Amino acid sequence: MIILSILSDSFLTMNNILNLLRQISINALIAFGMTFVILTAGIDLSVGSLLALGSALTAGMLTSGMDPMLAILIGLLIGLGLGAINGLIITKGKVAPFIATLATMTIFRGATLVFTNGKPVTGLSDSFSFQMIGKGYLLGIPFPVVIMLIIFLVLFFILRNTVFGRQVYAVGGNEEASTLSGIKADRVKIWVYALTGMLSVLAGIIMMSRLNSAQPTAGTSYELDAIAAVVIGGTSLMGGRGKILGTLIGALIIGVIDNGLNLLNVSSFYQQIVKGAVILLAVLLDRQSKKQ
């Protein structure tokens, strides 16, 4: 950040900081859910496609004249249900998380293209509540950032202070031992994938509100940014170890890198190289810390 503030006069301005926070809120919400999945030693590659499908279906309800809040609620429940399907395939179908969510990633993306006919859904709603979600401010803070912080605090509490949070760590740390101790590992996994699905659709609704349209290609490659935020934040890909605070910091780091490189007019091609190098460095440091 110090280097970026020296190289660009715009980096530490209030407008840019608020814009940066607004931008990271979408990745952070997806990454919060991904943290739960990775803590159970899983992975979810379908989050970007879930975001697109959930927002497209919600947009369809809005354009049909449904009340915005009811459409959003149904959209979130759709995300919860689609995420639960991921969990059921993994637990009941005994399919590896990588393969299961790779397949549903393609299915959900295809369903989005079929539903939208490959075209953006526009002219959604002019209601204050819908516009507030993506474009509004609360006490000078962008409302998407407020949503992100509220979700963070809720999930932080769940992981630290609830039985479910301890079960998530236990399943990821040693699934066999957790099952022998009476934890229903399958149920825990289904819930974490369902949670991730719902948060992905919430991120999609925020994006949809900002743009006042739903794009069939929205969320492409977002799974990589979410996984990167979790890994950079110190959560082990082997499961059982990590904190959601680290994920928030990881999302901030990725957002700062993206924002800084954009301000410096660095080509998007080089940005991919830089982000990949940061992720690789984080994994190597994580492996090194385990050896110690």
Side-chain angles (χ1 to χ4, degrees), residues 3 25 33 64 121 187 219 230 232 250 254 260:
I3 295 173
S25 61
S64 71
V121 183
R187 185 182 298 178
V230 177
I232 292 171
I254 291 176

Side-chain angles (χ1 to χ4, degrees), residues 50-285:
L50 265 169
L51 178 153
L53 181 56
S55 57
L57 293 173
T58 306
M61 289 183 273
L62 288 170
T63 53
S64 71
M66 184 179 288
D67 177 77
M69 289 299 101
L70 179 60
I72 289 170
L73 177 61
I74 295 174
L76 293 176
L77 291 176
I78 289 172
L80 192 76
L82 293 175
I85 290 174
N86 276 336
L88 286 168
I89 294 171
I90 291 164
T91 56
K92 305 303 179 185
K94 305 298 180 189
V95 180
F98 182 89
I99 302 299
T101 57
L102 180 65
T104 55
M105 176 181 75
T106 307
I107 293 169
F108 295 154
R109 181 65 66 184
T112 307
L113 292 170
V114 170
F115 181 76
T116 61
N117 202 24
K119 299 175 182 176
V121 183
T122 57
L124 304 182
S125 173
D126 293 326
S127 75
F128 172 79
S129 55
F130 177 71
Q131 297 290 330
M132 181 74 178
I133 292 173
K135 302 175 186 173
Y137 287 82
L138 183 66
L139 302 176
I141 302 172
F143 200 65
V145 179
V146 175
I147 295 174
M148 176 189 74
L149 292 176
I150 291 172
I151 298 291
F152 166 75
L153 290 173
V154 170
L155 297 179
F156 181 84
F157 177 83
I158 289 174
L159 271 182
R160 281 180 62 95
N161 300 297
T162 68
V163 173
F164 178 72
R166 289 190 286 275
Q167 289 177 341
V168 169
Y169 281 105
V171 170
N174 190 326
E175 183 173 345
E176 187 176 352
S178 66
T179 302
L180 290 173
S181 66
I183 295 173
K184 297 184 185 302
D186 286 358
R187 185 182 298 178
V188 172
K189 287 184 179 180
I190 291 169
W191 272 112
V192 299
Y193 282 94
L195 173 69
T196 305
M198 186 176 69
L199 291 175
S200 299
V201 173
L202 176 59
I205 290 170
I206 291 173
M207 183 187 296
M208 189 173 66
S209 171
R210 283 180 60 189
L211 302 174
N212 203 25
S213 69
Q215 305 293 327
T217 56
T220 303
S221 300
Y222 278 23
E223 60 277 0
L224 300 181
D225 280 348
I227 293 169
V230 177
V231 172
I232 292 171
T235 297
S236 170
L237 287 170
M238 303 302 290
R241 189 166 61 89
K243 295 178 180 177
I244 201 162
L245 177 60
T247 298
L248 180 61
I249 294 171
L252 279 167
I253 291 172
I254 291 176
V256 167
I257 292 172
D258 282 340
N259 182 263
L261 294 177
N262 282 330
L263 289 175
L264 296 175
N265 293 319
V266 175
S267 162
S268 60
F269 302 152
Y270 289 103
Q271 291 186 25
Q272 295 297 319
I273 295 173
V274 172
K275 282 202 302 189
V278 171
I279 295 167
L280 183 60
L281 180 63
V283 173
L284 290 173
L285 289 173

